[in-house]
Amino acid sequence: MDEKILSTEDFDYYLPEELIAQTPSKLRDHSRLMVLDKTKETITHEEYFYEIEKYLQPGDVLVRNNSKVIPARLFGVKEETGAHVEVLLLKDLGEDVWECLCGNAKTIKKGTIITFGNGELKARCEEILDEGIRRMRLLYTGILFEILDLLGKMPLPPYIHTQCEDNSRYQTVYAKVEGSAAAPTAGFHFTKELFDRLKAKGVIVCDVTLHVGLGTFRPVKVTNVLEHHMHSEMYEMSQETADILNKAKEQGRRIIAIGTTSTRTLESVIQKYGTFKECRGDTSIFIYPGYKFKAIDALITNFHLPKSTLIMLVSAFSSREFILKAYQEAVEKRYRFFSFGDSMFIHG
């Protein structure tokens, strides 16, 4: 495919609205699993996700994103007018300054103060950025995440119309490091018991951190894919994880990313340093067809929105034509789509 004419429309597909999962499956590992061999271009259907066990081998390294979603959606009022404002915390910039996505942003000027709850938390606008983004200084006493637990709501994607009955279902079972504005949803299908079985089989599990930010909420609005701008997200890799990954590379063992966020972290690190190493930084890596993967050998992922950067990444890992064929088959077989939907394993 000619990169010069890579069109957003090339990543569109038909999806009946009723296939957008509104709630998670009753048991995490009982969602369905589609297995793609990208070399042979074969599609296999498994009734339950836990059957992934038979596709994983001793020595495989599973990489998961241990970022934890914070209750980042806040409803407050402007101090000077009493007007209602919604604020979504996107990225911690340090020293209590956050990048935020604001509803009705035009009314939020530099110096505007928004009060949440009974004043336990306030936010003052420090800087106006484009597309509804503001830099806000948070004003509070105590521990911020405790206050957010009290005042905030889970920032569910706009296509999910009801709040979770149990907020833990919008977290992975291994979520640990607080900071995401959306969940790394490919990991929803794993249970502690499944990880135990995989480890007993000889599969190695390691963690990276990437705090999911605005990229998850922002559609691709340009016609030419190459003109799309990704917002940066903070990532971190430990020395322990780097050692495991470098050893796997040396020995020719598979590195399997759980989700697009783990993928973007691994590819960002190896692209920057040529190897895996202990590091932290920001990445705005945008992966689309034509990209040459250097870090991962297989990918566990969900079914993504039409024309999204995520379906572009998955298409780059396989091929656009094969992925769209698989998505069409998923629609025909009534798979469940998006964050609470079913899973796909791409290897080969």
Side-chain angles (χ1 to χ4, degrees):
M1 184 183 235
D2 186 351
E3 278 191 6
K4 289 174 186 164
I5 52 167
L6 200 58
S7 168
T8 306
E9 295 299 323
D10 291 331
F11 300 91
D12 198 7
Y13 66 90
Y14 169 69
L15 180 67
E17 195 172 339
E18 68 268 18
L19 295 185
I20 300 172
Q22 293 299 315
T23 55
S25 60
K26 284 191 168 59
L27 297 171
R28 284 181 183 267
D29 58 3
H30 278 50
S31 49
R32 292 163 75 187
L33 175 66
M34 177 185 278
V35 181
L36 305 187
D37 184 321
K38 67 188 176 112
T39 305
K40 298 175 183 172
E41 294 206 339
T42 57
I43 301 173
T44 307
H45 303 279
E46 299 289 356
E47 190 173 354
Y48 297 115
F49 177 80
Y50 59 73
E51 313 226 35
I52 198 162
E53 194 176 338
K54 66 190 183 192
Y55 295 95
L56 302 183
Q57 305 150 12
D60 282 345
V61 179
L62 270 183
V63 186
R64 57 193 192 181
N65 178 8
N66 66 6
S67 183
K68 190 173 187 178
V69 186
I70 59 175
R73 194 178 180 199
L74 293 161
F75 297 91
V77 294
K78 285 171 63 178
E79 277 200 351
E80 60 265 44
T81 64
H84 291 267
V85 181
E86 181 179 347
V87 174
L88 181 64
L89 303 180
L90 290 174
K91 188 178 179 185
D92 184 358
L93 301 174
E95 297 181 351
D96 289 324
V97 176
W98 284 70
E99 194 174 271
C100 302
L101 179 63
C102 299
N104 202 15
K106 288 176 185 172
T107 68
I108 300 173
K109 313 291 186 195
K110 193 170 179 180
T112 296
I113 295 175
I114 301 164
T115 300
F116 306 99
N118 295 315
E120 298 96 330
L121 177 66
K122 294 185 179 186
R124 184 176 68 234
C125 179
E126 303 277 291
E127 190 179 348
I128 296 171
L129 303 173
D130 62 350
E131 299 184 273
I133 306 293
R134 299 288 184 269
R135 286 213 174 110
M136 310 285 282
R137 181 172 299 281
L138 302 187
L139 312 167
Y140 59 93
T141 304
I143 299 168
L144 177 61
F145 290 129
E146 288 182 1
I147 295 167
L148 292 178
D149 280 337
L150 182 71
L151 300 178
K153 291 190 177 297
M154 279 298 191
L156 296 178
Y159 49 77
I160 293 174
H161 305 307
T162 52
Q163 200 69 25
C164 273
E165 286 181 24
D166 176 4
N167 274 350
S168 72
R169 289 309 303 272
Y170 196 62
Q171 303 276 19
T172 60
V173 297
Y174 48 84
K176 184 178 173 186
V177 184
E178 291 177 300
S180 271
T185 57
F188 282 175
H189 312 281
F190 285 91
T191 62
K192 289 186 172 72
E193 294 75 20
L194 179 54
F195 279 123
D196 288 343
R197 292 202 304 276
L198 292 172
K199 288 174 185 175
K201 186 177 182 175
V203 175
I204 299 157
V205 179
C206 62
D207 290 349
V208 293
T209 303
L210 182 136
H211 291 319
V212 188
L214 185 59
T216 298
F217 295 91
R218 183 123 295 170
V220 179
K221 292 178 178 176
V222 292
T223 303
N224 184 347
V225 167
L226 307 191
E227 293 172 2
H228 178 69
H229 169 68
M230 294 282 283
H231 286 260
S232 71
E233 296 167 314
M234 193 285 286
Y235 69 86
E236 188 165 6
M237 178 178 287
S238 68
Q239 187 64 56
E240 181 186 8
T241 291
D243 291 343
I244 290 168
L245 294 171
N246 285 325
K247 193 172 179 183
K249 276 286 180 211
E250 286 165 22
Q251 297 177 348
R253 292 183 281 111
R254 291 194 302 179
I255 294 172
I256 302 168
I258 301 176
T260 57
T261 59
S262 299
T263 300
R264 292 177 67 241
T265 304
L266 296 174
E267 295 295 330
S268 294
V269 173
I270 210 162
Q271 192 178 80
K272 186 171 183 180
Y273 300 107
T275 186
F276 297 111
K277 62 175 284 183
E278 181 179 12
C279 57
R280 64 180 293 160
D282 291 305
T283 181
S284 55
I285 190 170
F286 181 19
I287 297 175
Y288 51 82
Y291 179 86
K292 301 293 182 222
F293 285 82
K294 302 169 192 71
I296 73 165
D297 304 293
L299 172 63
I300 297 165
T301 189
N302 283 14
F303 291 88
H304 302 296
L305 277 76
K307 301 194 278 191
S308 64
T309 59
L310 304 181
I311 196 171
M312 291 172 191
L313 182 153
V314 173
S315 297
F317 188 62
S318 176
S319 74
R320 184 184 69 95
E321 294 78 10
F322 184 46
I323 291 299
L324 290 178
K325 179 187 172 188
Y327 271 55
Q328 185 180 343
E329 196 161 312
V331 169
E332 289 165 3
K333 293 190 177 295
R334 312 291 291 174
Y335 274 69
R336 302 167 81 237
F337 279 68
F338 305 165
S339 296
F340 287 144
D342 294 317
S343 183
M344 176 184 278
F345 176 48
I346 311 172
H347 68 103

